[in-house]
Amino acid sequence: MIRWLFWGIIVAILCVLPRFLGDYTLYVVSLTYVYVTVAIGLNLTLGYANQVSLCHASFFGIGAYTMGLLLAQGWSFWLILPLSGIFAGLFGAVIGFPALKWKDHYLALITIAINIITFFVMMQESWLTGGPTGVSGITRPSIGSLSFTSDINYYYLLLVLFILAILASIWIVNSKWGRAFRAIGLNELAARGHGISSFNYKLLAFAVGAFFAGVGGGLFAPLLRYISPDAFTFFISLEFLIMIVIGGMGRIEGPIIGAIIVVMGPEVLRMAEAAYLIVYSLILILVMLFMRGGLVIVLDRLREAIPARIGSRR
Amino acid sequence: MANFIQLLIGGVSMGILYGVVAIGFVLLWQTSQTINFGQGELVMVPMFLMVALHIVLKIPFWPSFVLTLLGSGIMGYLFERLMIRKLLPGGVLVIVIATLGLSGFLRYGMQIAWTPQTLFFPHLFSTKPIELGDIIFSPEDIWNIVLISVIIIVLHLCIKRTKLGMAMQAVAQSRETAELMGINVRHIITLVFVLNSVLAGTAAVFAAPIFFVRYDIGIFLGVKAFVAAIIGGFNQIRGALVGGLTVGLAETFAAAYITTAYRDAFVMILLLVVLLIKPEGIVGIKEEAY
Amino acid sequence: MLKKTLISISILSLLIFFSSGPAAAAEKVRIGVVIELTGAGASLGDYWTKGVKYATKEINDAGGILGRPVEYKIFDTQSKPPISVSAVKKALAWKPYALSGPIYSSSTLANMFLSQEAKTPQNVGSENWRISTKGSKYIWRTSTQQGFEIPKLLSFIMAEKKPKAIAMLHVNNDYGIGAKETTQKILKETYNTKLVAAMACEQKQADYSAEFSTLRRKKADALFVYLLEEEAAIVYRQVRKMGLKLVLFAPNSGISEDTLRLGKESAEGVYGMSGFEYNAPEPNCVRVSKWFKKQYKEWPDNEFMKGYNSVYLVKTGIEQTGGFDKAKYSQKMHNIFITPKVQKNICGGNLYYDDVGDLHAWDYLVQVKWDGTHAKPKIVAALPPLKGPDSSKKTKWYEK
Amino acid sequence: MLEVKNLISGYGKSEVIRGISLEVKEGQIVTIIGPNGAGKTTFFRTVFGFLPARQGEILFENEDLTKYAPTVRVQKGIAMVPQGRNVFPFLTVLENLKLGAYTRYDQKTLQEGIDLAYGLFPVLKERKSQQAGTLSGGEQQMLVIARALMSRPKFLMLDEPSLGIAPFLIKEIFRTIKAINEEQKMTIFLVEQNAPVALRVAEWGYVMEGGQIHMSGSAQELLNDDRVKGAYLGKKD
């Protein structure tokens, strides 16, 4: 009961937030929603099923390009958004099929290579992707007379989809799939012993993670109204990885906290001009040195300290 | 034919440079299961050190070189003592992320502490081209190939023949058994980190005249060396060398005969092909054998 | 306990961060500098920022613009287009009168619609030709775009050097690919010839043996080096190292101070185009360069002059409209001919801005000479702009 | 020579060794027997220093070892042959042996050690330049024992030397262990599940169950004890 109240208050705060925000902060919060959606996908793949993916920016980019290019063909946003996810998910399954036979640092490298290759395709195949100049003039959607063109309205659209993404991830984690993911993540051999077809579930975890990233990409393109290959490099994949590790892997709250830190951190620290990147790097090292389980642990401590038990299930 | 030989020299002279940085990757992985994403920065920092000593302070080449290697060694020592030792129990992913942080810290630190500009570095060898019939090549490339080869051979002999080298191999093959022998594994790991940094420092001095000196060169070198180490075989020193040469030659020949537009992508495709056909790398040994 | 304190501090700081809404409009002329402070373009951004800083100081020392002092604030794009969008949003939230930067074309293409929507003048350092085709009335360039620079350069090279086979190295991004497209178009339409090879090069590429082997195979006798500063210097070095006999020519990035500082004697003989260089025969370029040399112990890159001009353009626009109305500013600053009479301190002499914000100015064709310690561009010819009042001034090649 | 007092240790939250005291006298072969999971290996790893002792003392020649790293314990003259075949698989047999003498610096002892190893296990001489990973299980076990002797220990600990080895080789290995004890005057401390074989070479024995010592006595007494017979010696013997 108290838990629902707590989340209700948070959602209410998020709903009235735009009233207090300037253009720019509104954009940053909107961007955070998009990144959380992508990070949730990576959390399913890596946090739960323990399969490293360093090509999440590729999935993200495929979603974004699907949106940008099909919108230009006059398709409807509402049709493209699921397609963004599906294309990315399919791509994830196609590369996962050969790649998932490997694990750990081999899988990490295969996915790095895939990210670099997709970046080059986006860069060079101008007939399809517009090349390095990217796709501009991306429009925002509307339903009937309700238009999401303005930044505030688009914020609300993102907020709704963001909450949906979180609920979907909670549902997946608690479903049969989620249990299988965790079983594989903890001990692949044992999971196989319990009759879980580990390869199929690994593939599924990869594809579902890619699906979330694709949807995130589909939301990202209209937010920026411009996309170019630079937004989907291997370094962006690293940022997603950093998000879930800093936040806390294998926890629903992990990607949310992580995305807030990674997207907003530089923005807050930007006051120190170019020095913020140093501070940011230093924080990464310190978290790894002294707070291995991610910042979620801080939240846990806090929760233990507050007598009324607020918060979600583990 | 002349064309082919020239491409060969170009590819090898780049490849051997990637190779020597990749050897460090392999040493770290073998002895401590560390994947160091800050490897490129371990090359970048000595480059700046060399500029500071040789060009700014006008110290002659050889003393600067020795001091640079000394500085590199100290950097490697601190890297292991202050970071890696605490991180090792956390596993590969924790180290990957922390070394990413380190890489950013050194890179942007150098940019702010010194300069975002690219700094000049003179050629180390004569630049007068040598002509042999149709083939034209530069003494710089030849010297780089020869000297780096010598360094690698000496390193190889040290590891194969000396007592410390044997201890390093022992730690790489089984840490606990090495301890049974009375080998101080911690010291060996520290030593390997120092050795890795010194190698990277050496690579820096050879790379500086080719790349010039800039704060963000580490990303480029680090990724190339990483790929080289995987392609060649992550658990073999000769694997790093083979990988480096493969990467250098592949990008040169692909750029010359297919297209330059996908130059860096070719290397990645090669990486995928190698991983799918022979995941332990060209000359690597299956890890299951351990 | 410590952790709890830390958390409350961080929550508090977040709250403060969010509650700091848009500030009230100030009595100062604000300029949001959206620039490559970090990332691949950091070196250029550094020059640009220094230019902005100097111009601001100079203007404020002379009493400001219409009595109001200039104030600027820097927003880092990290040389990445998506970040440049957020940087511009952040800059706009600061309610500036005008924006200055960015330099990277991909960043400008990503964020220019924001200044257009906010009706805020934006003076950029980008040279990609596509920018002028987007129909924004609030974008001005601080240098001539590649679509004007390349034909002038080619006209000299074709007339004077008569190359039989031209090859091109271009950086593998929007800047280089845009130049390749322009060059191919001009060679076909004007000279009925084509590039024997157009090769994309990566940033930070250090080995060009593959490219050189293609040059040799195609028997190229001239090479158009359309690369960024460091790579251009590396190519000059390798051309000498490999003993290639080629006519080398380059856009201003290929003969800028940054390139020559690195290329040294190997840059000897390279032809290039230069707008505002420290040795251009134009008093203001000379004046600000000397100041820079005194201040920072080296000669500036042309990005310094561009950043400097980006502030002076704002001053010109405001003084021309006599007030602070941005719509009027936009109108005034198109089809305007800025001579030293109009704006005493601006670099580059007579500047003409056409109806899409493209700059038409005098360019100088230079050849690099090595004097034993420094490589310096020596002016070979002055080339009039393609459009505007000065375009009718037909000059012979400048004193040879 | 070795005296353990009230030793407690374990992994993570679980306590495996729950207060063990025992003694190994110089020159003897002493064995610990006990069922699978009794904590024998954990006990050995604690004595050698791979696991920290949570409580208690490990006195070696009247000096407490608990504060020393395994490396130091090797220098004090302890050598251990752990369970399984812990060879360096990519090094040759000879290189493996040389590493055994890592703490011994002089060439002369090294050569003596190698001669001794070849004398005890002639098959190692035949295989000296072969990669250790390619040897058979029994040969690897011989190599590991020979390698442990290379550091010239005063005190040799052997953890389950008979594990996974063909029966005819077990006898040979134990014969060699006995020979080492007699010819080299080396104290040997042995953990074995194969109680009959172990008790036959040993002079003194302890029976460990559930992390505690249940019985002790001379090997002969234990061999004849009914409870031991029933639990560990099986019908065959």
Side-chain angles (χ1 to χ4, degrees), chain D residues 32-91:
Chain D
I32 299 182
I33 57 174
N36 213 350
K40 303 188 300 285
T41 296
T42 311
F43 175 68
F44 253 39
R45 291 173 65 83
T46 314
V47 171
F48 192 72
F50 281 153
L51 268 181
R54 291 185 187 167
Q55 247 183 57
E57 288 180 327
I58 302 164
L59 297 172
F60 182 69
E61 297 182 322
N62 299 321
E63 187 183 6
D64 190 9
L65 290 181
T66 45
K67 59 180 181 290
Y68 295 129
T71 323
V72 182
R73 301 186 199 204
V74 173
Q75 283 159 6
K76 300 263 175 215
I78 301 179
M80 180 164 88
V81 175
Q83 221 179 69
R85 293 150 205 163
N86 292 276
V87 296
F88 297 112
F90 303 120
L91 296 180

Side-chain angles (χ1 to χ4, degrees), chain A residues 33-35 37-38 60 63-64 81 84-85 210-221:
Chain A
Y33 291 161
V34 171
Y35 276 37
T37 312
V38 183
F60 183 49
L81 188 63
S84 297
F211 177 86
F212 275 89
V215 172
L219 296 171
F220 177 74

